[in-house]
Amino acid sequence: MAHLTRYYMYKKLKEYFKEPMDGKILGISGIKNFLPLISKKAEVLDVQYPEVDMQNLPYENNSFDFVISDQVIEHLENPQKAIQESYRVLKKGGYVIHTTCFMNYIHHCPRDFWRFSPEALIFLCNDFSEIVSCEGWGNRIAILLCFISDRLRFMHIPENKWSIRNLIGTWNEVRYPIVTWVIARK
């Protein structure tokens, strides 16, 4: 299961996809975390940033049913162009999922440019016909733990709801997002 800063986010994303994602799926960095949400019949193209530049996707218009980028857009010089590219390669009625960070230390991969509030993600996705969900997760205790040690950031969150780690990993203070995400439909 996902670690502290992503546990809640992946659980929430799963709530929006009651049926497994099917069709043609473009996953840009980190698709493995979405595999439980994807049908075994789906055609998954798993690419990595920076080898595939999300700002200039080498795919035809209207090619994919889903485009997923996991913790990528904060590393791009032009995140607006990347969002437009995900829109371009998405089929009509298809969905994008973009996850990113808000309160996070600088992490070069290869560079680190931006931080996104939920409102910023909505703004970046203004061409989409529908914002299905745009949220964030974090809390003051998790922020403190993350800044104390990377080991704490990557601690496993057990499913046991009575575990202190589970309580920290599921408690959400909307004013203190560590991660943010958007699901939008073309």
Side-chain angles (χ1 to χ4, degrees):
M1 188 44 116
H3 58 74
L4 175 62
T5 62
R6 299 193 190 173
Y7 177 81
Y8 180 89
M9 177 179 71
Y10 293 135
K11 283 185 83 70
K12 287 295 283 188
L13 289 169
K14 188 174 186 174
E15 291 176 13
Y16 289 98
F17 296 98
K18 301 291 185 209
E19 298 295 319
M21 295 179 201
D22 206 358
K24 194 169 179 186
I25 301 170
L26 173 61
I28 305 166
S29 298
I31 192 71
K32 73 178 189 315
N33 295 311
F34 289 87
L35 290 178
L37 306 177
I38 297 173
S39 166
K40 302 281 188 242
K41 302 180 304 182
E43 181 184 340
V44 178
L45 179 57
D46 182 8
V47 300
Q48 299 299 311
Y49 170 79
E51 290 81 19
V52 171
D53 182 3
M54 197 174 156
Q55 299 159 111
N56 297 291
L57 290 171
Y59 309 111
E60 299 289 324
N61 296 351
N62 309 306
S63 297
F64 298 96
D65 298 290
F66 292 88
V67 175
I68 302 167
S69 73
D70 197 12
Q71 306 295 311
V72 177
I73 62 174
E74 70 267 22
H75 300 289
L76 304 173
E77 290 179 14
N78 190 341
Q80 181 69 63
K81 184 155 185 343
I83 300 296
Q84 290 168 342
E85 279 290 282
S86 69
Y87 181 89
R88 179 185 65 77
V89 302
L90 193 66
K91 294 177 183 175
K92 184 170 177 53
Y95 292 88
V96 296
I97 303 170
H98 297 297
T99 74
T100 188
C101 57
F102 185 70
M103 290 187 199
N104 204 351
Y105 62 91
I106 293 174
H107 55 290
H108 299 286
C109 183
R111 297 175 288 183
D112 191 353
F113 291 108
W114 308 98
R115 296 296 179 266
F116 298 92
S117 67
E119 290 81 9
L121 292 175
I122 290 170
F123 176 79
L124 288 173
C125 293
N126 63 7
D127 288 339
F128 288 83
S129 67
E130 177 187 6
I131 302 297
V132 176
S133 172
C134 188
E135 301 179 56
W137 172 84
N139 61 64
R140 289 172 279 186
I141 293 172
I143 291 168
L144 179 62
L145 292 172
C146 290
F147 284 104
I148 288 173
S149 167
D150 271 349
R151 284 183 38 182
L152 295 173
R153 168 184 295 277
F154 294 106
M155 75 176 160
H156 169 77
I157 304 299
E159 290 297 321
N160 178 352
K161 68 180 183 176
W162 301 110
S163 159
I164 189 72
R165 288 182 292 162
N166 185 282
L167 292 171
I168 294 168
T170 57
W171 175 36
N172 193 22
E173 292 183 283
V174 296
R175 292 184 58 209
Y176 300 96
I178 295 172
V179 292
T180 57
W181 62 91
V182 64
I183 303 169
R185 188 172 63 82
K186 183 175 182 180

